[in-house]
Amino acid sequence: MASNGDSPEQLTLLRETVRRSRTKEPAGITESLPVARIAVDMPLPHLDRPFDYLVPDDLADAAQPGARVKVRFAGKDLDGFVLERLESSEHEGKLARIRKVVSAEQVLTPEVADLCRAVADRYAGVLADVTRLAVPPRHAKVEAEVLKCTQPVRPVTSDSRSEWAPYPLAGGFLDALTRSEAPRAIWTAVPGADWATAFAQAAAVCASAGRGALLLAPDARDLERLAAACTAVLGPDGFVALSADLGPTARYRAFLTALRGSTRVVIGTRAAAFAPVADLGLVALWDDGDDSYAEPRAPYPHAREVLLLRAYRQKCAALMGGFARSAETAALIESGWAGELIADRKVIRAAAPSVHISGESDHDIARDPAARAARLPHRAFEIAREGLKTGPVLVQVPRAGYLPSLVCQTCRAPSRCSTCGGSLRRTGGSGPPSCSVCGRPAADHRCPECGDTRMRAAIVGARRTAEELGRAFPGVLVRTSGGDNMLDSVSDEPALIVTTPGAEPVAVGGYSAALLLDTWLLLARPDLRAPEEAVRRWFNAAALVRSAHDGGMVILVGEPSAMPLQAIVRWSPEGFASRELEERRTARLAPAAKLAELTGPTDAVSDLVTRVQQLVDPQAGLEVLGPVAIDDETSRAVVRTPRASGTSLARALREGQAARSTKKLLGSVRVQVDPASFG
């Protein structure tokens, strides 16, 4: 019934108009490159491949490679990135259309897209998981800001190379950067070196040649130091900092600043490894052994490996620096892939503090019979007392979070499996301890150092260290750094600075002395990388101490004959890394071998192991350790091959996961290739 004077004919015409508007003819398909290859945000392994879609005419200008889009997939609207535009598709069926271009901003550049694919393949993961790490979530307001305020890149005026003077071969490396070449180097910094300024100077050399530089630091504190150095060398507008700690808005703003080429230098933490730096000429990373570089999300890539892949694929220079040296970087030097930047021994000895081990001589034992057993031997007190006369004293104590496994009852050497080198543990009951890696019982274990058959659980005894020192040195300021209470720097006033490993603040003018306590606790961690990690922590702490010429002294409380401690006394990070690499080779561990850790429900892990065994070439030398039960429902297995067969192993893991995904088998298996911690 019509109302308000509307006739039935008018209502019919109105309904017809609405119906036609709802059934509007879709736009035609563009004639120029009508097919878009899309990386759909789909984490299922069996669907880890690009899919082709048609490009509507009204979206043709915006749907360029790198743009975010919405597509229909399996009955749902999913996000994706345009990888490329094509004239035709190899798919014989009917293609769906791109439903929407979310943003015309080309956030996934071709170089980064290629890198993401390489990282996914190396770590037996899927592309969608890697692109989530590479491209931060979109903020429309920020895109508008950047579009309005884009400015030309300011020229670099600094040409100082002062921090590189101690290294004879550094001049050639920097000269190669000015020629836009791609040198690769492992830099072992001298004690007390200003690594942040050295990185900034290298970036300035690269930027002056018209190319971009990407510099990574392990954590927020080191990033602040790097930012301060870059401000001094490049100016406040000469770089941009990119870190997950910035927050979503600020991080996306920094990301787009780099993407649009407003700056040639990008600095950051692990999150910046995929930063879209224009015309990348240099990637650099400080302290590659820091576990902060290991991504905790699938597929668990390490920032060092991401940058090395990037240097190879984008043909740019690579620089890995640190006071210590990892087995991975030692392998790069041994293979000839990278050169070595290291100072002469005379220069190192002149810059290093005087390093000693408690109870290292008969004189020490005569003066203090308990020098090798006490937590705070008499000589450590003497060194601290003497150091407090001229400045702050650093005291490093292993934190409670280090949970060591079994150690020798007599000499406290870590108890290792004689078959695979894994840490021994007790799982309860009265039976013998077993290996945490291969699960074999160790009923006849004997300490290789002293021959004792007894073992004990290592117990952290550093809870009251600060209180003990406070009572021993009345009237002296005692400050702590670690956990939620991290100090960035301290003055040159006398004080005792008690820290956990990695939380050491920088002292103005350097520390006068350092006490590195409970060294055996770091070595007894249930991790096959424990010796390397301990040495890295000790070198980083000792490098903050003044040179021996200026009275700087370091004392390590531990077993004098232990090779890791001797490496600090000799200040030989390169020698220790070479020995560690050889031991890894003997034990068939990374980087000498390619290994993967599989964790999940027992049945699922066993199924994936079986599939991998079927997929890997019999000549590849595949070895399976485990599965070993972690708890009632979860097991862990390790599969490994020689390094040369690593690509085959990663491919088999991906195909095995894809087959399980296709059949919708229950139980998810976490795959970690070359995990940062392993034990």
Side-chain angles (χ1 to χ4, degrees):
M1 180 177 178
S3 62
N4 298 328
D6 293 333
S7 65
E9 291 80 3
Q10 290 174 318
L11 290 176
T12 302
L13 180 62
L14 180 61
R15 293 191 186 100
E16 182 65 21
T17 302
V18 171
R19 186 187 66 79
R20 289 178 179 176
S21 67
R22 290 178 176 175
T23 58
K24 180 181 178 180
E25 288 293 327
I29 303 302
T30 183
E31 295 182 358
S32 175
L33 303 176
V35 176
R37 186 150 289 168
I38 308 294
V40 182
D41 188 2
M42 176 63 66
L44 297 177
H46 70 285
L47 297 176
D48 183 28
R49 63 181 185 276
F51 294 88
D52 292 347
Y53 286 82
L54 296 175
V55 182
D57 193 53
D58 56 345
L59 301 180
D61 292 338
Q64 297 300 318
R68 305 177 199 255
V69 295
K70 287 278 188 183
V71 295
R72 198 70 175 171
F73 192 94
K76 299 178 180 178
D77 280 346
L78 298 180
D79 296 318
F81 294 100
V82 179
L83 297 179
E84 57 182 327
R85 292 276 296 274
L86 305 168
E87 286 286 354
S88 61
S89 172
E90 297 177 357
H91 181 65
E92 297 179 354
K94 183 179 179 181
L95 297 181
R97 297 164 170 256
I98 294 177
R99 295 178 67 87
K100 178 183 178 181
V101 175
V102 177
S103 170
E105 198 75 46
Q106 296 171 349
V107 292
L108 186 64
T109 64
E111 295 83 5
V112 175
D114 175 73
L115 175 66
C116 290
R117 181 68 269 172
V119 170
D121 291 343
R122 186 201 184 287
Y123 286 94
V126 298
L127 180 65
D129 287 337
V130 183
T131 55
R132 290 193 199 100
L133 302 176
V135 182
R138 177 179 181 248
H139 285 259
K141 285 186 177 181
V142 176
E143 288 184 354
E145 290 174 7
V146 174
L147 289 170
K148 291 177 181 177
C149 67
T150 299
Q151 299 176 353
V153 177
R154 295 185 179 183
V156 177
T157 57
S158 174
D159 59 357
S160 174
R161 301 183 178 187
S162 58
E163 290 299 324
W164 293 101
Y167 314 96
L169 299 180
F173 179 86
L174 298 175
D175 289 341
L177 287 181
T178 63
R179 297 190 297 268
S180 297
E181 296 177 2
R184 300 183 289 259
I186 307 303
W187 170 39
T188 305
V190 297
D194 186 352
W195 65 269
T197 299
F199 265 29
Q201 291 176 352
V205 170
C206 186
S208 65
R211 302 193 69 185
L214 173 60
L215 316 177
L216 296 194
D219 53 41
R221 291 198 313 157
D222 286 328
L223 183 59
E224 289 181 6
R225 296 171 192 166
L226 184 56
C230 287
T231 299
V233 174
L234 302 168
D237 299 324
F239 69 98
V240 63
L242 181 59
S243 169
D245 295 335
L246 293 173
T249 302
R251 181 188 176 191
Y252 195 59
R253 184 179 292 115
F255 175 84
L256 289 185
T257 300
L259 176 69
R260 299 191 64 79
S262 297
T263 182
R264 287 198 178 101
V265 179
V266 176
I267 68 174
T269 52
R270 178 186 69 235
F274 296 91
V277 182
D279 194 15
L280 186 61
L282 169 68
V283 293
L285 181 143
W286 175 254
D287 199 12
D288 71 286
D290 196 303
D291 55 12
S292 298
Y293 287 123
E295 175 60 51
R297 294 172 291 178
Y300 317 105
H302 195 286
R304 175 191 58 239
E305 304 304 317
V306 174
L307 291 193
L308 293 177
L309 275 172
R310 197 163 188 181
Y312 172 75
R313 303 185 80 83
Q314 295 186 235
K315 295 179 173 58
C316 66
L319 178 64
M320 303 283 136
F323 292 117
R325 183 180 291 179
S326 66
E328 281 75 12
T329 53
L332 293 175
I333 295 174
E334 184 183 90
S335 69
W337 194 87
E340 183 180 43
L341 297 183
I342 190 169
D344 293 334
R345 289 302 303 175
K346 290 183 179 180
V347 176
I348 296 173
R349 283 195 295 268
S354 177
V355 183
H356 303 276
I357 305 173
S358 60
E360 63 186 354
S361 66
D362 293 339
H363 178 69
D364 288 346
I365 298 298
R367 293 188 62 192
D368 182 8
R372 296 184 179 179
R375 282 200 65 243
L376 290 169
H378 180 69
R379 191 177 184 188
F381 278 107
E382 287 185 335
I383 289 177
R385 185 179 297 112
E386 190 66 24
L388 287 170
K389 295 178 181 179
T390 58
V393 173
L394 177 68
V395 182
Q396 186 197 75
V397 185
R399 57 179 177 265
Y402 283 83
L403 297 177
S405 54
L406 296 177
V407 297
C408 176
Q409 175 73 28
T410 301
C411 70
R412 294 177 178 175
S415 299
R416 303 287 187 187
C417 174
S418 59
T419 301
C420 71
S423 302
L424 297 184
R425 64 175 184 176
R426 293 194 188 276
T427 57
S430 58
S434 61
C435 177
S436 61
V437 176
C438 67
R440 291 182 174 88
D444 56 350
H445 174 79
R446 183 178 294 274
C447 177
E449 300 293 332
C450 68
D452 198 340
T453 59
R454 298 171 298 169
M455 289 176 278
R456 57 169 288 180
I459 302 172
V460 175
R463 296 178 180 178
R464 295 194 300 270
T465 301
E467 290 84 348
E468 292 174 1
L469 292 172
R471 289 192 296 269
F473 298 95
V476 176
L477 176 64
V478 180
R479 304 183 66 184
T480 60
S481 177
D484 296 331
N485 179 35
M486 300 278 280
L487 301 177
D488 293 330
S489 62
V490 295
S491 69
D492 58 357
E493 296 296 321
L496 288 166
I497 312 299
V498 182
T499 81
T500 54
E504 302 87 357
V506 175
V508 176
Y511 290 98
S512 58
L515 279 59
L516 309 182
L517 307 183
D518 298 335
T519 57
W520 62 277
L521 283 174
L522 287 182
L523 295 174
R525 292 173 58 214
D527 187 343
L528 296 182
R529 298 179 187 266
E532 178 184 279
E533 173 67 5
V535 167
R536 185 184 71 83
R537 296 290 195 185
W538 297 333
F539 270 123
N540 287 349
L544 300 175
V545 181
R546 302 168 190 168
S547 69
H549 180 268
D550 295 325
M553 293 191 68
V554 175
I555 184 166
L556 298 102
V557 180
E559 171 55 45
S561 63
M563 290 304 298
L565 276 67
Q566 286 294 324
I568 311 299
V569 173
R570 298 188 181 98
W571 207 276
S572 179
E574 68 282 1
F576 180 80
S578 296
R579 286 191 295 270
E580 183 72 12
L581 177 60
E582 186 59 35
E583 290 183 6
R584 300 268 190 94
R585 187 176 290 114
T586 301
R588 300 188 299 282
L589 298 173
K594 175 70 71 173
L595 61 85
E597 188 177 75
L598 316 181
T599 309
T602 302
D603 291 343
V605 170
S606 298
D607 178 69
L608 181 56
V609 167
T610 300
R611 294 178 185 276
V612 170
Q613 290 174 317
Q614 295 171 347
L615 290 167
V616 171
D617 190 323
Q619 304 300 318
L622 178 68
E623 185 178 5
V624 178
L625 303 177
V628 176
I630 297 177
D631 53 41
D632 292 341
E633 299 180 353
T634 309
S635 292
R636 182 183 69 172
V638 174
V639 291
R640 63 185 180 188
T641 64
R643 197 72 182 175
S645 302
T647 301
S648 174
L649 175 61
R651 185 185 304 111
L653 288 166
R654 291 182 65 244
E655 292 177 1
Q657 289 280 65
R660 287 181 49 79
S661 176
T662 300
K663 296 183 177 181
K664 299 181 180 180
L665 297 178
L666 296 177
S668 175
V669 180
R670 183 180 68 175
V671 176
Q672 287 184 277
V673 176
D674 292 341
S677 62
F678 180 75

